[in-house]
Amino acid sequence: MAQFVHPATADITLAGVLSALADPIRLQIVRGLLQESGCLSCTAASPCPTIAKSTLSNHFRVLREAGLIQTSKKGVEHQNAVRSADLEARFPGLLMAILAHSVTDGLPVTSE
Amino acid sequence: MAQFVHPATADITLAGVLSALADPIRLQIVRGLLQESGCLSCTAASPCPTIAKSTLSNHFRVLREAGLIQTSKKGVEHQNAVRSADLEARFPGLLMAILAHSVTDGLPVTSE
DNA sequence: TTCAATAGTTCGGAAGTATGGAACTATTGA
DNA sequence: TCAATAGTTCCATACTTCCGAACTATTGAA
């Protein structure tokens, strides 16, 4: 499990970013990471304790391969951080534009 | 086939929008619609002639149900338009932030 | 009215993707 | 060395996507 595979900044694709963030769980993970000074273990960054470890691991892999987060091993844990600078360089304003509205996700303003 | 089901502006969700635009084909459809004064039939808005009709129909359904486009029947064709104003009202700046980079790797949309 | 052409939709099966439990690896600490 | 903890991998099941074929709806011509 040496080091993880992270795409270079130039290799981050728009479809990959959107696809990764299209999942509410992953969206919440990224939001949580940004709120917590950017470094959390996988379980600490989980938005819901009922999610299976394997599922969570998969979500982190998707985020990692999309270039949204950077994962480094630290002891028995993994430290995850949002690649804010890389994303800003690759798609200026995109992440902010998306996360600016993520609070309302799944919380309809009106009926339902 | 009465009218199509379009979500109210308030019911448009972030995950729905991101999920709909996470597909390169749908991203191209939306871009094409915006470039063409916003009204195109389904086949006219197809970014690739090899896509099966059923697949295309499904893509338009996804875009419609996500609140990205409005479809109205006009004779034998369907007229599709991006719900720019609704999206701007619901998620200010989001669509623009996404489409600003949708030309896959750095080519500017504006000067095209 | 009947027939053919066109534009989309729906159906059904094949291929791909997501989920979670069980088993596995890696690190730490006793 | 053993147990505990953090993640990953494997596998089976469930869900989604894609396409061809059949279907519906509108138009225009005979």
Side-chain angles (χ1 to χ4, degrees):
Chain A
M1 235 136 303
Q3 279 303 78
F4 297 101
V5 181
H6 298 89
T9 303
D11 293 334
I12 298 175
T13 67
L14 180 67
V17 170
L18 295 180
S19 179
L21 294 180
D23 186 298
I25 291 169
R26 291 195 288 263
L27 200 55
Q28 281 189 265
I29 290 173
V30 172
R31 276 211 300 135
L33 286 178
L34 283 176
Q35 283 173 3
E36 299 292 333
S37 73
C39 262
L40 283 179
S41 68
C42 294
T43 47
S46 173
C48 175
T50 62
I51 300 171
K53 278 200 306 176
S54 53
T55 304
L56 206 56
S57 178
N58 184 56
H59 283 313
F60 276 93
R61 185 181 54 76
V62 171
L63 288 171
R64 199 182 303 131
E65 294 180 354
L68 278 157
I69 63 170
Q70 178 138 36
T71 308
S72 55
K73 201 158 191 179
K74 191 195 178 185
V76 74
E77 292 184 349
H78 290 186
Q79 281 200 328
N80 299 285
V82 177
R83 295 174 62 180
S84 308
D86 292 343
L87 289 163
E88 188 61 24
R90 184 75 179 86
F91 301 116
L94 180 65
L95 188 62
M96 212 170 61
I98 293 174
L99 293 175
H101 307 292
S102 63
V103 183
T104 59
D105 181 58
L107 302 170
V109 178
T110 58
S111 59
E112 188 168 26
Chain B
M1 227 135 311
Q3 279 304 75
F4 297 102
V5 181
H6 299 89
T9 303
D11 293 335
I12 298 175
T13 67
L14 181 66
V17 170
L18 296 180
S19 179
L21 294 180
D23 186 298
I25 291 168
R26 291 195 288 264
L27 200 55
Q28 281 189 265
I29 289 173
V30 171
R31 277 212 300 135
L33 286 177
L34 283 175
Q35 283 174 3
E36 300 291 334
S37 73
C39 261
L40 284 179
S41 68
C42 294
T43 48
S46 174
C48 173
T50 62
I51 301 171
K53 279 200 306 176
S54 53
T55 304
L56 206 55
S57 178
N58 185 57
H59 283 315
F60 276 91
R61 185 181 55 78
V62 170
L63 288 171
R64 199 183 303 132
E65 294 180 353
L68 278 158
I69 63 171
Q70 178 139 34
T71 308
S72 55
K73 201 157 190 178
K74 192 195 178 185
V76 74
E77 292 184 347
H78 290 185
Q79 282 201 328
N80 299 285
V82 178
R83 295 174 62 180
S84 307
D86 291 343
L87 289 163
E88 188 61 25
R90 184 74 178 89
F91 301 116
L94 179 65
L95 188 62
M96 213 170 59
I98 293 174
L99 293 175
H101 307 291
S102 64
V103 191
T104 61
D105 297 345
L107 298 175
V109 166
T110 52
S111 63
E112 225 175 83

